[in-house]
Amino acid sequence: MIELGVLGLDTSHPETFARILDGRADASIAAVWDGGAVRENGYEREFCEQYDATRYDDPHAMIDDVDAAMVLAVDWNDHRDLATPFLEAGVPTLIDKPVAGSVADVTAIERAAARGDAPLFGGSALPFHPSVSSLADATLETAFSVGYGDTFYYGVHLVDSIRLLAGTDWTRVTPNRGPGRVATIDFANGSAATLRFDGPDGDGTFGFLTVGDRTRTVEIGSSSDELERMYEPFLEAFLATVCGERDDRNRLTDAGTLLVAVQAALETGDPITPDADALETTAVASESFLADYEPYY
């Protein structure tokens, strides 16, 4: 039995993940910490009672009591401080999307995982939706994708999906001239993807078109059934990571820097490469997003 620690109950993910895990024989929620910034008083206690988990006042006090940790706090600028002690202690750790708001934080997380030789997983669950992951079966030359909502918090779904499908590191992000918030990403293997981040909010849809040895299209809605279809394989992959059966460290950290690079490109209007000064200085603030956040997404 893999005993998991949850750090942050802000979003709908902890409840959904706990419900999915509750139906498994090989993993369970054993420890919980919440910062209290989003949920009402009493929610943490009820959550712990429902899943027979121990509540902690100090998130890092659970390090020796769990087999793996899930950093699920909504504020991406807290992820580094929450995750690095677990990683340095060698505890396999999932960091929910977005992983971090700056390259400095992504690098610190990467180095902590290396020091502790700890498995690292996380980011968006959308790449693990069967319809999206099936796109990886074909050779990718060019991709087009569209999403909705906040460019960073929801844009990560597009960025992480395209990074997984490309299967290699990014080399350049170019903001596109013209209407909309659009950027083109070039990858080390010669493939490229154009992402539009300001699709219509009304239907909550993510769309992908990939061109390679064949052309494929995928559309993912926001119904509860569609969410379940991506969360289950996402958690399955995390547990495989905990057991040492897969390694997502490079994918996750490269996608994390790519997401910051997209923000830098859209803000400056200039192309961004991994060695660009603007990439190092870009830090995505979370305050305005959190001010309007509702814990249902």
Side-chain angles (χ1 to χ4, degrees):
M1 174 68 72
I2 299 171
E3 295 193 334
L4 301 165
V6 170
L7 287 80
L9 298 176
D10 304 329
T11 74
S12 64
H13 290 179
E15 177 65 34
T16 303
F17 292 175
R19 178 167 46 78
I20 293 172
L21 292 166
D22 201 40
R24 298 181 63 106
D26 58 350
S28 67
I29 304 297
V32 174
W33 169 86
D34 183 59
V38 175
R39 294 293 186 176
E40 297 178 353
N41 290 336
Y43 181 85
E44 183 182 18
R45 175 183 53 78
E46 293 172 1
F47 184 95
C48 289
E49 289 177 353
Q50 182 174 358
Y51 295 103
D52 193 25
T54 301
R55 186 183 68 82
Y56 284 74
D57 293 324
D58 175 359
H60 301 125
M62 70 172 73
I63 287 177
D64 293 330
D65 300 335
V66 297
D67 300 310
M70 296 192 293
V71 177
L72 306 182
V74 68
D75 190 344
W76 53 83
N77 287 321
D78 287 342
H79 289 178
R80 171 181 177 173
D81 290 342
L82 289 172
T84 51
F86 286 88
L87 293 168
E88 290 174 343
V91 178
T93 302
L94 179 157
I95 304 177
D96 206 355
K97 57 89 177 172
V99 169
S102 68
V103 169
D105 280 2
V106 174
T107 300
I109 289 167
E110 183 178 26
R111 290 175 176 170
R115 284 194 296 270
D117 193 24
L120 180 60
F121 187 79
S124 167
L126 185 63
F128 295 85
H129 189 291
S131 295
V132 178
S133 60
S134 70
L135 297 174
D137 296 339
T139 300
L140 177 67
E141 295 179 1
T142 307
F144 302 90
S145 185
V146 61
Y148 66 98
D150 174 85
T151 303
F152 191 69
Y153 188 78
Y154 294 103
V156 66
H157 293 302
L158 300 185
V159 170
D160 281 12
S161 296
I162 289 298
R163 172 56 180 79
L164 184 141
L165 295 179
T168 190
D169 293 355
W170 67 278
T171 58
R172 185 182 182 93
V173 179
T174 305
N176 290 22
R177 308 299 179 186
R181 294 178 65 79
V182 183
T184 295
I185 303 165
D186 293 305
F187 293 96
N189 61 2
S191 61
T194 298
L195 280 58
R196 178 160 186 167
F197 296 93
D198 57 351
D201 287 331
D203 58 357
T205 297
F206 295 99
F208 298 87
L209 184 153
T210 62
V211 182
D213 50 6
R214 58 180 296 188
T215 299
R216 298 184 178 185
T217 59
V218 165
E219 184 177 296
I220 308 296
S222 56
S223 68
S224 58
D225 288 343
E226 290 282 44
L227 295 177
E228 292 286 337
R229 292 186 68 199
M230 67 184 184
Y231 290 146
E232 290 186 6
F234 180 70
L235 291 173
E236 184 72 38
F238 172 51
L239 296 177
T241 303
V242 173
C243 296
E245 298 170 1
R246 60 180 291 156
D247 182 1
D248 281 68
R249 188 181 302 175
N250 182 67
R251 175 193 67 83
L252 185 65
T253 55
D254 190 64
T257 60
L258 174 56
L259 181 63
V260 178
V262 168
Q263 308 311 303
L266 293 176
E267 288 173 8
T268 64
D270 297 323
I272 300 294
T273 57
D275 60 353
D277 290 340
L279 179 60
E280 296 297 325
T281 58
T282 296
V284 183
S286 57
E287 289 80 7
S288 61
F289 177 82
L290 296 174
D292 298 323
Y293 180 74
E294 295 289 342
Y296 306 113
Y297 306 101

